[in-house]
Amino acid sequence: MKLDILEPLLSRPGPWASVYVDTSRTSENAVRIGELQARDAYDRLGEQGADEATRRAVRATVDGLDREHLGHAVFATDGETVLSVPLTDPPLSPPLTDWAPLARLGPLLDHGGPEPRCLVAFVDRRGADFELRGMRRHPADAGHVSGRQWPIHRTARDDWGERHFQLAVENTWEENARETADVLASEAARTGAEMIVVAGDERERRSVWEQLPEPLRQIAYEAESGGCAAGADNTLLDAQIDAARVDIARQRAAETLDRFQAGRMPSYGDSAEGVPSLVDAAREHRLDTLLMRVGGPDLHRDVWVGRDPDQIAVRRTDAEALGVHDPWSVRADDALLRSAAATGADVVPLPAEADARDEALGPPLGSMEYPSGGLGGLLRWPYQDGVPGGGNRAVP
């Protein structure tokens, strides 16, 4: 999960109102339900001490949420809604409402978080149209690539001259597929896409997929349905994209757990687990990937923070030693997610419990050892044991 969407929350001091709302109901009384949710959030924030201007801002935002997503997370401070994040799973009712020094970020993982950015390429023999899906209400146009336009069609004749022409046509197709793959790779880097879907002509989509760089093929899927023409019904494509998102999330969790377990070995030493180790890594910008198991007991442990994401410590006295005059006690998951967002670290949610999985897709995650307490991390550089002075020190 990429956390760059949280950037608007990093430069504001708070305190923050955080509200998680179920917007999955699309019945005739959805408007009335939205009004009740907005009023409930307004009242609950008042009971927790939120200022009137921020309560009004939250009420207006929740009342106006669209029903095209299963849920939303709303973050507001100082009389202004700063961020509204669509969720892939509906939160529980009544809405989770929180007024605290930090934005309540942990439930983003509980409710699927924001949809990963998905770059879709609708390919044919002439080129491709691209669209970007994810944090937007509707797919966004992401450009177009046009290859050679002639010769593009084969003929039915079978004499020598026509066979030569057929070969020229197929060369055009391959050249256009290669150019499409090059542009698709560039657009994926530019947009920060976390997955790629290649739809359209069967032969061309296979050729485009095969010519993508190997790292992109790991997150690329072929879709048998879908088109970009006006009025095209992409219902089946949407379902295939949703299934691909789930598959990518599982693969990413399994691969990260493999690396985490290897990093526990002394010869690697680039894994960390437990709140104290992760707090140290976050403060020193050594955290590359944060692992969080939903429901882990360490997620709600108290840590101490200041306004700067680097100001994070296990004890109040440690926070004061960092120059924080009046540190706040907050949940570990919220503080670590804020620090991860500020330093460009990724977050990999882990399922709360082991679930069965087809053997063809690999072992179930439950066969792997999770981080103790539900919190773990991969480091940008490892610890070195036995450094004079005692304890473990980081060696860049």
Side-chain angles (χ1 to χ4, degrees):
M1 181 186 295
K2 299 292 186 182
L3 297 179
D4 52 348
I5 60 164
L6 301 180
E7 185 177 353
L9 308 181
L10 303 179
S11 59
R12 305 288 287 267
W16 287 91
S18 306
V19 180
Y20 287 76
V21 185
D22 179 354
T23 53
S24 61
R25 303 181 201 177
T26 57
S27 58
E28 293 182 358
N29 64 342
V31 173
R32 177 58 178 163
I33 291 174
E35 293 174 351
L36 293 174
Q37 290 173 327
R39 187 175 67 186
D40 181 69
Y42 175 88
D43 292 340
R44 287 173 179 267
L45 288 171
E47 294 170 358
Q48 297 175 46
D51 62 273
E52 179 65 21
T54 301
R55 294 169 63 201
R56 287 199 301 267
V58 169
R59 182 170 186 169
T61 300
V62 173
D63 194 20
L65 290 174
D66 67 77
R67 296 278 159 176
E68 297 182 24
H69 297 89
L70 296 180
H72 285 78
V74 175
F75 304 101
T77 187
D78 196 25
E80 176 187 2
T81 295
V82 178
L83 183 65
S84 177
V85 181
L87 304 173
T88 57
D89 292 324
L92 298 175
S93 294
L96 185 156
T97 306
D98 189 65
W99 175 251
L102 294 188
R104 186 75 180 86
L105 303 177
L108 284 174
L109 278 65
D110 299 347
H111 304 301
E115 294 180 357
R117 295 184 186 89
C118 175
L119 185 61
V120 183
F122 298 99
V123 303
D124 58 28
R125 294 166 184 174
R126 289 182 166 83
D129 293 317
F130 304 125
E131 71 176 27
L132 187 65
R133 300 180 174 213
M135 287 298 297
R136 304 171 188 272
R137 184 178 304 180
H138 300 289
D141 184 358
H144 174 81
V145 57
S146 295
R148 290 175 55 191
Q149 302 301 300
W150 189 89
I152 202 78
H153 297 292
R154 293 191 296 191
T155 66
R157 294 168 58 184
D158 196 31
D159 55 48
W160 182 90
E162 289 304 319
R163 287 198 298 273
H164 181 75
F165 180 78
Q166 311 286 38
L167 181 60
V169 169
E170 293 189 13
N171 286 340
T172 298
W173 294 349
E174 288 301 312
E175 182 178 327
N176 288 352
R178 185 163 50 251
E179 183 175 355
T180 297
D182 289 343
V183 175
L184 182 55
S186 297
E187 285 300 300
R190 183 185 67 84
T191 59
E194 298 169 74
M195 61 179 293
I196 294 170
V197 172
V198 185
D201 181 90
E202 180 178 359
R203 171 174 174 155
E204 285 303 296
R205 72 173 186 249
R206 166 52 43 171
S207 183
V208 168
W209 186 89
E210 289 176 344
Q211 296 184 68
L212 287 171
E214 179 60 29
L216 288 185
R217 269 187 275 169
Q218 301 300 316
I219 59 168
Y221 286 77
E222 289 187 73
E224 298 177 357
S225 307
C228 61
D233 184 0
N234 284 326
T235 303
L236 291 178
L237 175 63
D238 295 340
Q240 290 173 10
I241 290 176
D242 288 341
R245 284 186 175 125
V246 172
D247 190 43
I248 283 181
R250 288 193 56 85
Q251 290 184 24
R252 178 76 192 284
E255 291 167 0
T256 305
L257 275 174
D258 278 340
R259 291 177 56 199
F260 175 78
Q261 291 186 22
R264 282 170 157 169
M265 300 171 61
S267 56
Y268 290 90
D270 57 357
S271 291
E273 59 189 316
V275 172
S277 294
L278 290 170
V279 163
D280 287 345
R283 185 174 58 250
E284 297 166 5
H285 295 197
R286 288 185 290 107
L287 193 58
D288 179 72
T289 303
L290 180 64
L291 289 78
M292 285 191 169
R293 177 174 65 83
V294 175
D298 278 356
L299 272 65
H300 54 75
R301 276 189 55 180
D302 288 341
V303 297
W304 295 85
V305 301
R307 292 189 176 185
D308 192 316
D310 293 341
Q311 296 173 325
I312 176 173
V314 174
R315 292 178 290 272
R316 181 187 181 97
T317 53
D318 294 338
E320 292 171 342
L322 296 172
V324 183
H325 297 296
D326 189 16
W328 307 310
S329 176
V330 300
R331 288 176 55 118
D333 56 351
D334 296 334
L336 288 170
L337 285 169
R338 182 181 71 152
S339 293
T343 58
D346 287 341
V347 174
V348 175
L350 302 175
E353 297 179 358
D355 54 354
R357 195 179 184 202
D358 191 294
E359 290 184 1
L361 298 177
L365 297 183
S367 66
M368 304 180 186
E369 186 178 349
Y370 279 15
S372 60
L375 284 174
L378 298 174
L379 305 180
R380 289 179 171 141
W381 60 84
Y383 284 112
Q384 183 181 57
D385 293 328
V387 176
N392 293 333
R393 289 188 179 177
V395 177

